Amino acid sequence: MRLVIFGANGGTGRHLTRQALDAGHRVRAVTRRPRAFPITHRRLDVLAGDVYDADAVAAAVDGADAVLSTLGVAFSRKPITTYSTGVANIIAGMRTHGVARIVAVSSSAVEPHLHADGGFLLNRVIQPLVTGTIGKTTYTDMREMEERLAASGLEWTVLRPSRLFDTDAVSDYALRERYADGVYTSRNDLAACLLAQATDPAWVRNRVAVWTTEGIPTMWQVLRAEPA
């Protein structure tokens, strides 16, 4: 397949690019910093592009079989529009060039709920604090992104991972419509799920929770691994 990856230079995007190349796909990786992209391959094209640039986005998706979005920005108390504006430009470009399939990463926090594996601290303290303060503008924009996809008429799937963490390889993960029981999702597992959904029609036009089911870290291990 010919895959276009937006947000390719992020943690999940890099895993996704490597996995797609290992699987034999042709990949077009779109990033604002192409010189910093660490992967080279004969089936990889690295494009300089910003999702706010509608013309660049349209050019990137031309000829694609599927589009995969791993867009991500840091939390901010200021309004965030990267997700909604970015996906609006991606949708427009896909319509122009007749590309139907898109899989986009959102977050389980767009619909806060009690995680069966979360416990009191996560469910009653951390989640309300993050979604109501530092993450409020991020999750608002992600909800808008999801609504734009739902209204697009495309063959879309939204993936909602839980808290992301790093692993060396793909492990076991679970999928469920809308809500996740699990607290953590490895970036490698999320990338594998994105790649699988590119060709799997089972979850077309649906919002899907994805979480890792083996090798789960403790909350303190994840917090210690956060950059200073």
Side-chain angles (χ1 to χ4, degrees), residues 200-219:
D200 187 350
W203 296 101
V204 168
R205 299 190 178 96
N206 214 327
R207 297 167 170 90
V208 186
V210 52
W211 70 97
T212 296
T213 57
E214 67 171 329
I216 306 301
T218 66
M219 183 180 302

Side-chain angles (χ1 to χ4, degrees), residues 67-84:
V67 174
L68 307 175
S69 173
T70 62
L71 294 174
V73 295
F75 284 151
S76 173
R77 292 184 182 272
K78 296 179 181 179
I80 290 173
T81 61
T82 302
Y83 302 96
S84 58

Side-chain angles (χ1 to χ4, degrees), residues 75-184:
F75 284 151
S76 173
R77 292 184 182 272
K78 296 179 181 179
I80 290 173
T81 61
T82 302
Y83 302 96
S84 58
T85 301
V87 87
N89 287 333
I90 292 170
I91 289 168
M94 292 174 67
R95 286 173 174 163
T96 296
H97 295 294
V99 182
R101 184 67 171 128
I102 178 170
V103 187
V105 174
S106 181
S107 171
S108 64
V110 299
E111 286 191 83
H113 60 283
L114 298 181
H115 295 260
D117 300 335
F120 178 85
L121 183 60
L122 175 75
N123 286 326
R124 301 298 186 183
V125 180
I126 295 176
Q127 180 171 257
L129 179 65
V130 173
T131 58
T133 57
I134 60 172
K136 185 175 181 179
T137 56
T138 295
Y139 300 128
T140 296
D141 195 39
M142 283 182 169
R143 291 185 197 101
E144 178 63 22
M145 174 190 71
E146 290 192 8
E147 291 308 311
R148 292 188 179 192
L149 285 167
S152 69
L154 299 175
E155 296 175 4
W156 59 273
T157 299
V158 166
L159 294 183
R160 291 176 169 180
S162 296
R163 175 66 181 268
L164 295 172
F165 71 104
D166 289 307
T167 56
D168 294 331
V170 177
S171 61
D172 288 337
Y173 61 88
L175 301 177
R176 180 181 296 168
E177 186 174 353
R178 300 187 80 98
Y179 302 113
D181 281 340
V183 177
Y184 299 112

Side-chain angles (χ1 to χ4, degrees), residues 38-49:
I39 304 169
T40 59
H41 195 280
R42 61 182 177 80
R43 283 184 275 101
L44 172 66
D45 297 314
V46 181
L47 302 185

Side-chain angles (χ1 to χ4, degrees), residues 163-166 187 219-228:
R163 175 66 181 268
L164 295 172
F165 71 104
D166 289 307
R187 290 182 175 87
M219 183 180 302
W220 307 117
Q221 286 173 326
V222 171
L223 291 175
R224 285 200 303 269
E226 288 294 310

